[in-house]
Amino acid sequence: MLGPCHLTFVLLAMAITCTGTQRTSLWTEDCRKSMYPPSGPTYRGPVPWYAINLDLPPYDRWHELMTNKQPVLKIIVNSMRNIINALSPSGEVMQMVDGNLSKILGKFPAPYEEEMKGISDATNISLGEIIAFNIFYELFTMCTSIITEDKKGHLLHVRNLDFGISLGQNVSDSKLVITEQLKLLTVNLDFKRNNKTVFKATSFAGYVGALTGFKPELFSLTINERFSIHGGYLGVLEWILGKKDAMWIGFITRSVLENGTSYEEAKKILTQANLLVPAYFILGGKQSGEGCVITRERKDSLDVYELSPKQGRWYVVQTNYDRWKAPLFHNDRRTPAQMCLKRVTQENLSFSTLYNILSTKPILNKLTVFTTLIDVTSNRYETYLRDCPHPCMGW
Ligand SMILES: *[C@@H]1O[C@H](CO)[C@@H](O)[C@H](O)[C@H]1NC(C)=O
Ligand SMILES: *[C@@H]1O[C@H](CO)[C@@H](O)[C@H](O)[C@H]1NC(C)=O
Ligand SMILES: *[C@@H]1O[C@H](CO)[C@@H](O)[C@H](O)[C@H]1NC(C)=O
Ligand SMILES: *[C@@H]1O[C@H](CO)[C@@H](O)[C@H](O)[C@H]1NC(C)=O
Ligand SMILES: *[C@@H]1O[C@H](CO)[C@@H](O)[C@H](O)[C@H]1NC(C)=O
Ligand SMILES: *[C@@H]1O[C@H](CO)[C@@H](O)[C@H](O)[C@H]1NC(C)=O
C-alpha cells in the first residue's frame, strides 16, 4: 500500500542526508578582491533571459521556454528519480509519483496548477514528476543573502543560491551532479503584463515558484531554507491530508512579486501568511531602513530583523541558521560574510565589493549554482553562474 507517509518519510530522509553529511570546513579563504566584473575559474557564464507573458493563459505561458529546456529538464528529472529510488529502493515512491502524486496532493491554487500542467504537456514529462520537481526546491535551497545600505541610504540586495543536495557526487570529476545540471536549467525571467515588466526572477526552468527576484523600484526578495524541528514535513503531510490553507513558500513569493504593491505590504504578507514549510524571507525596499530578514515557522513569525542605519546596522546577512543561534561550525557562512562586510565598510558598497564577498569560500562553495545582484532603485539585476574549483567545500 502506498500512502502519504511514504512520501513524508522520503522527504525526511532526504533532508537528513542534506544536513547530515556536511564535512568540516577545510577550505576557507581571506575575503576576495577584484572578482568583478566576473571572470576566471569561479565564473561559469551568463544566464539567458526569457520573457514570460502573464497575459497568456497560465497553461501556455511556459511553452516556449520549456520547449527549449526540455532535454535538460528530462536529465535532471531522471537524476531526481535516481535519488528517490536510492532512498526508497522498493520503487514504491516513484510509482506513486508516476501514478497519482497529482491526485494525492490535490489541486494547487491558480495559476500554479495550470502552469504545471502546461509544462508537463510541453515537455512530455509526467505531471507527477513536474510536481515532485517543484517540491524539491521548496526543501533544498541553502543560501546566503545580504542586504546593505550605504551612507546615502542606497540599498543593495545580493545572494548566492546553493542547492543543498550532496547526493550524486560525480566520482570522475568530483562535481555535484544535481548542482551541475541545475546550472544548465538556470534562467532569468522577465514576467510581463501589457508588454511591461512586472517583476524579474532567477529560476530553474520547470519551477513555477520564485526564490530570487525583484520588482523594479519597489522591492527585492529572496528565500533561504530554514531547517526546523517543527519542520516542513508536517506541513507537507497536512497538505496531503487535505488541509490546504497553507502556502508553498516559492508560491507565496511568486505571488508577492507578481501582485505586491509595496515593501510594507510584502512584509506584512510574508510575516503573516500560513506556510507549508519554515523559511527565511529576505526582503529589501528602496528607502533607508527598508531591509529585513523574516524568520518564519509555519504559522508564526519568530523574528523580523531590520536594517537600522541610525544604530549602525547597515547590513543584514542571512544563511540557513536563526540569527540568535550559532551556525553549525562546519557550515558557517555567516561569520565570514559579516567579517568581509566589515572590511569593505559602509563607504565602499557596490555590486563589485558584494560580488567579492559572494566569491569568498565558503560563502562560495561546491553547491553554489548562481550569484544574483539586485539594485531596486536603479533597476539593475544581474545573475552569474558560478563554479568553485577544487579545493572547495561540497559539504
Ligand atoms: C494510486 O495508484 C495506485 C495504483 O495505481 C492505487 O492502488 C492507489 O489507490 C492510488 N491512490 C490514490 C490516492 O489515488
Ligand atoms: C511529446 O510527445 C508527443 C507524442 O508522443 C510528440 O508528438 C511530441 O513531439 C513530444 N514533445 C516533446 C517536446 O518531446
Ligand atoms: C561526470 O563527469 C564526467 C567528466 O567530466 C562527465 O563526462 C560525465 O558526464 C559526468 N556524469 C554525470 C552524471 O554528470
Ligand atoms: C513590446 O515591447 C518591445 C520593446 O519595447 C517592442 O519592441 C514590441 O514591439 C512590443 N510588443 C508589443 C506587442 O507591444
Ligand atoms: C495575481 O493577481 C491576479 C489577478 O487577481 C491573479 O489572477 C493571479 O493569479 C495572481 N498571481 C499569483 C501568482 O498569485
Ligand atoms: C573599494 O572597493 C574596490 C573594489 O573592490 C577597491 O578596488 C577599492 O580599493 C576599495 N576602496 C576602498 C576605499 O576601500
Side-chain angles (χ1 to χ4, degrees), residues 1-2 95-96 99-100 103-104:
M1 217 358 235
L2 301 181
Q95 276 170 27
M96 188 180 76
N100 44 28
K103 258 183 259 155
I104 291 170

